[in-house]
């Protein structure tokens, strides 16, 4: 056995179930060793897609993501996806061949690249330490929730290896939350008249504990975008806080006198640049990472610990009270709590469909058991707000870096993580064309995916930001592209939607065998931009 094979088998022995990548000479042996160890390997058509698939898979499966890439350009091709994962604190391991000889065409400072985008750089430097380095990379990915680049120098990969690959790793002990901090939060909950809980990615495992505590404290429930669906079915679910919040959710969150963020950083998107949090409200953050307490909206109180454990400890100290809840408010949440309950004027016409009408129509047609992945762009709020999901396992939102072009690969990784659900990719035309190589991957894997392209024939964010000021827009507008024909060329079924009546083609596919993925080329109205877009530009 050589070192490359030992690395792959050691990861398989840690319980890695699926890996993604593009194979070249520098990662050929380690990838084959993963497969020999029982790991499913998903070949992407571009390393950027592979990294994003691994990120989405990790988010939706709860397991460590693994991506395998060639040295040099294999890693640089993957960088945007790796940056998204690093910013999102996704547990991800990147196996990359490394050319250490400076005269090599493939030589770059790979460790510096990883550090520059927020990942942790490690290297296997000898056969003797190969397995221990794999174990450390796995530990950092899992326990510290980090994206780790494990560099595999070509000469070291080829060295002979002797010894076991399944060396056990001692589990790190987890200390409980501070008794004093929990007691202070219990006091704040006991004094609050209008408490709101906002749950983020760090709370996606803790629905039961949070709902039980909220019932005691009389708190309303909301989530960040990445945790959308966590409280679905609760009569007190306000859905997403932030730019995608309904008018009712924004009103009630602004009215809170106590905001408790559970595994949620309260970034500018979740708080609309802080405007959703009243200056008079107390802010508490519960997080494994104490660094989160002072970022974005600073906390008046920080509680370090696992969300579920903190919520359970609090439940033993909080006396039942009505808090923010009342029969009248419950009725308002039922009547106004979803975007489709908010009246709007349908602007469909002239061969184009209003994106709100499109999204509502798809929400009605597609099976409830779905997993929705969203690309970035001017369009993104429509599917995020109008396509419902059954729970927190139904929404995959790779938006920490705000790159367009990640949506289709995100949907592939999410689909592999949750094969029990219908995968739905929601893309803009710019992002769809940027990531279109992975259409072949969707077809090859036989995924029954619905790919919806909101096509305004432009980079809509730039059109609506710069157009009103009279700037020329020739660089950000494009002639029509027949995306349905492109999809058929890859082996997909496709329908073009220019009005509500054209959605019959989607219904036909849903009722059929679903033996091919479906691309919905939606020609959407584009007369004005979106309100969340203006929020986004405030952060530039």
């Amino acid at each position: 056995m050589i070192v490359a094979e030992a690395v792959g088998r050691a990861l398989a022995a840690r319980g890695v179930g699926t890996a993604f990548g593009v194979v070249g000479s520098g990662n050929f042996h380690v990838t084959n060793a993963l497969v020999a160890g029982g790991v499913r390997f998903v070949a992407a058509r571009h390393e950027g897609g592979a990294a994003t698939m691994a990120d989405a898979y990790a988010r939706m499966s709860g397991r460590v993501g693994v991506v395998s890439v060639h040295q040099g350009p294999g890693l640089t091709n993957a960088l945007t996806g790796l940056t998204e994962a690093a910013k999102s604190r996704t547990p991800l391991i990147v196996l990359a061949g490394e050319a250490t000889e400076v005269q090599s065409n493939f030589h770059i400072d790979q460790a510096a690249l990883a550090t520059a985008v927020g990942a942790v750089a490690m290297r296997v430097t000898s056969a003797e330490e190969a397995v221990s380095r794999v174990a450390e990379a796995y530990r950092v990915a899992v326990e510290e929730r980090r994206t780790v680049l494990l560099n595999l120098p070509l000469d070291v990969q080829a060295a002979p290896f002797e010894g076991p690959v399944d060396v056990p790793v001692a589990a790190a002990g987890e200390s409980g939350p501070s008794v004093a901090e929990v007691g202070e939060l219990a006091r704040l909950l006991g004094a609050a008249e209008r408490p709101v809980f906002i749950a983020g990615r760090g709370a996606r495992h803790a629905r039961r504990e949070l709902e039980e505590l909220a019932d005691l404290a009389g708190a309303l429930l909301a989530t960040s975008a990445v945790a959308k669906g966590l409280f679905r079915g609760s009569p007190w679910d306000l859905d997403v806080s932030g730019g995608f919040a309904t008018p009712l959710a924004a009103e009630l969150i602004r009215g809170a006198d106590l905001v408790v963020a559970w595994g949620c950083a309260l970034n500018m998107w979740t708080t609309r640049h802080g405007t959703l949090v009243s200056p008079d409200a107390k802010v508490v953050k519960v997080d494994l990472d104490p660094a989160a307490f002072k970022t974005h909206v600073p906390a008046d109180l920080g509680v370090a610990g696992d969300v579920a454990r903190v919520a359970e400890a609090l439940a033993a100290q909080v006396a039942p009270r009505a808090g923010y809840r009342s029969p009248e408010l419950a009725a308002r949440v039922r009547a106004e709590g979803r975007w489709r309950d908010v009246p709007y004027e349908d602007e469909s016409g002239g061969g184009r469909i209003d994106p709100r009408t499109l999204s509502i129509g798809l929400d009605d047609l597609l099976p409830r058991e779905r997993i929705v992945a969203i690309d970035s762009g001017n369009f993104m709020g429509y599917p995020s707000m109008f396509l419902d999901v059954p729970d927190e396992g139904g929404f995959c939102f790779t938006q920490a870096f705000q790159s367009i072009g990640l949506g289709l690969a995100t949907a592939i990784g999410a689909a592999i993580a949750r094969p029990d659900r219908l995968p739905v990719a929601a893309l803009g035309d710019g992002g769809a064309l940027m990531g279109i190589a992975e259409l072949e991957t969707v077809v090859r894997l036989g995924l029954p995916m619905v790919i919806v392209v909101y096509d305004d024939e432009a980079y809509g964010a730039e059109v609506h930001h710069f157009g009103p000021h009279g700037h020329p827009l020739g660089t950000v507008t494009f002639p029509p592209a027949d995306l349905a024909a492109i999809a058929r060329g890859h082996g997909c079924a496709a329908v073009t939607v220019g009005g509500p009546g054209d959605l019959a083609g989607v219904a036909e596919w849903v009722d059929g065998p679903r033996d091919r993925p479906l691309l919905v080329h939606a020609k959407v109205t584009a007369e004005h931009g979106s309100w969340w877009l203006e929020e986004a530009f405030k952060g530039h």
Side-chain angles (χ1 to χ4, degrees), residues 21-22 43-53 73-74 76-78 409 434 437-438 441:
V22 176
R45 286 301 188 174
H46 191 279
E47 289 91 349
T52 301
M53 292 174 200
T76 59
N77 279 347
M434 193 174 288
E438 302 306 345
T441 305

Side-chain angles (χ1 to χ4, degrees), residues 3-196:
V3 167
E5 295 167 333
V7 169
R9 288 183 176 271
L11 271 177
R14 295 284 175 274
V16 170
T18 303
F20 302 81
V22 176
V23 174
S25 59
N27 64 325
F28 182 84
H29 294 300
V30 71
T31 305
N32 281 343
L34 286 167
V35 174
V39 176
R40 179 187 181 185
F41 178 70
V42 178
R45 286 301 188 174
H46 191 279
E47 289 91 349
T52 301
M53 292 174 200
D55 180 6
Y57 172 84
R59 295 176 192 234
M60 307 315 292
S61 70
R63 305 178 73 174
V64 173
V66 172
V67 60
S68 175
V69 298
H70 185 64
Q71 65 269 18
L75 181 62
T76 59
N77 279 347
L79 269 185
T80 299
L82 299 186
T83 305
E84 169 64 36
K87 284 179 172 288
S88 296
R89 299 292 292 266
T90 298
L92 182 68
I93 298 173
V94 185
L95 301 173
E98 184 180 28
T100 54
E101 176 57 53
V102 294
Q103 283 77 30
S104 169
N105 287 353
F106 294 128
H107 175 73
I108 53 174
D109 190 340
Q110 296 190 173
L113 281 180
T115 302
V117 301
V120 176
M122 297 184 179
R123 177 178 287 114
V124 174
T125 58
S126 68
E128 292 74 22
E129 65 152 19
V131 171
S132 64
R133 294 303 280 169
V134 170
E136 177 64 4
Y138 190 88
R139 185 200 66 77
V140 171
V142 173
E143 295 180 10
E144 300 181 22
R145 297 180 301 158
R146 300 296 299 274
T147 292
V148 178
L149 169 64
L150 185 59
N151 283 308
L152 305 174
L154 300 182
D155 56 341
V156 177
Q157 284 195 56
F161 175 88
E162 294 181 3
V165 297
D166 57 349
V167 177
V169 180
E174 182 186 333
S175 59
S178 160
V179 173
E181 291 170 352
V182 170
E184 176 61 11
L185 178 48
R187 186 191 69 78
L188 290 173
L189 285 170
E193 296 180 357
R194 298 178 306 281
V196 169

Side-chain angles (χ1 to χ4, degrees), residues 482-503:
D482 192 343
L483 298 176
I486 293 172
R488 293 186 189 102
H490 281 80
C492 298
V495 296
T496 299
V497 176
D502 297 329
L503 288 171

Side-chain angles (χ1 to χ4, degrees), residues 81-461:
L82 299 186
T83 305
E84 169 64 36
K87 284 179 172 288
S88 296
R89 299 292 292 266
T90 298
L92 182 68
I93 298 173
V94 185
L95 301 173
E98 184 180 28
T100 54
E101 176 57 53
V102 294
Q103 283 77 30
S104 169
N105 287 353
F106 294 128
H107 175 73
I108 53 174
D109 190 340
Q110 296 190 173
L113 281 180
T115 302
V117 301
V120 176
M122 297 184 179
R123 177 178 287 114
V124 174
T125 58
S126 68
E128 292 74 22
E129 65 152 19
V131 171
S132 64
R133 294 303 280 169
V134 170
E136 177 64 4
Y138 190 88
R139 185 200 66 77
V140 171
V142 173
E143 295 180 10
E144 300 181 22
R145 297 180 301 158
R146 300 296 299 274
T147 292
V148 178
L149 169 64
L150 185 59
N151 283 308
L152 305 174
L154 300 182
D155 56 341
V156 177
Q157 284 195 56
F161 175 88
E162 294 181 3
V165 297
D166 57 349
V167 177
V169 180
E174 182 186 333
S175 59
S178 160
V179 173
E181 291 170 352
V182 170
E184 176 61 11
L185 178 48
R187 186 191 69 78
L188 290 173
L189 285 170
E193 296 180 357
R194 298 178 306 281
V196 169
F197 290 178
I198 302 178
R201 186 176 176 187
R204 292 175 76 244
H205 65 294
R207 172 174 179 159
R208 177 184 60 81
E209 293 85 355
L210 290 178
E211 285 193 338
E212 289 178 357
L213 179 62
D215 288 344
L216 289 170
L220 306 183
L221 299 164
T223 71
S224 66
V226 294
K228 178 181 171 70
L230 179 62
F231 301 118
R232 190 64 79 247
S234 167
W236 306 106
D237 176 21
L238 302 180
D239 203 37
V240 175
S241 172
F244 300 156
T246 62
L248 176 64
E251 172 194 331
L252 295 175
I253 295 168
R254 283 193 185 104
D257 60 356
L258 174 66
V259 174
V260 186
W262 300 90
C264 177
L266 293 182
N267 64 26
M268 60 185 179
W269 313 120
T270 306
T271 65
R272 293 189 184 176
H273 296 266
T275 63
L276 287 188
V277 179
S278 167
D280 299 324
K282 291 288 187 181
V283 175
V284 179
K285 292 184 179 180
V286 179
D287 204 289
L288 286 170
D289 183 5
F293 299 157
K294 296 303 178 184
T295 59
H296 306 296
V297 177
D300 297 295
L301 171 67
V303 181
D306 174 74
V307 164
R309 293 185 65 183
V310 172
E312 282 187 327
L314 281 163
Q317 301 185 38
V318 174
R321 53 185 290 134
Y324 215 157
R325 300 181 179 187
S326 69
E328 294 77 17
L329 189 54
R332 286 195 69 192
V333 173
R334 284 194 302 272
E336 307 170 45
R338 296 292 176 266
W339 269 105
R340 62 184 301 154
D341 301 324
V342 179
Y344 71 95
E345 183 178 346
D346 189 344
E347 298 176 355
S348 302
R352 293 196 169 270
I353 187 169
D354 189 309
R356 295 164 293 188
T357 303
L358 168 70
S359 303
I360 292 171
L362 291 170
D363 189 50
D364 290 339
L365 287 171
L366 299 177
R368 173 175 168 76
E369 290 301 311
R370 63 185 71 151
I371 186 164
V372 179
I374 311 289
D375 208 335
S376 193
N378 179 59
F379 80 96
M380 63 190 289
Y382 300 114
S384 297
M385 296 188 301
F386 290 99
L387 290 182
D388 201 11
V389 293
D391 53 34
E392 74 283 2
F395 195 70
C396 196
F397 197 66
T398 46
Q399 297 291 337
F401 196 36
Q402 275 189 275
S403 172
I404 71 169
L406 305 187
L408 184 57
T410 296
I412 294 171
I416 291 169
R418 294 298 305 265
D420 56 318
R421 294 192 169 180
L422 177 76
V424 180
L427 321 174
D429 53 307
L433 289 165
M434 193 174 288
I436 206 158
E438 302 306 345
L439 266 184
E440 188 278 336
T441 305
V442 177
V443 174
R444 171 166 37 90
L445 295 177
L447 299 176
M449 185 180 293
V450 177
I451 303 159
V452 186
V453 182
Y454 291 71
D455 182 11
D456 60 1
E457 298 169 7
Y459 291 132

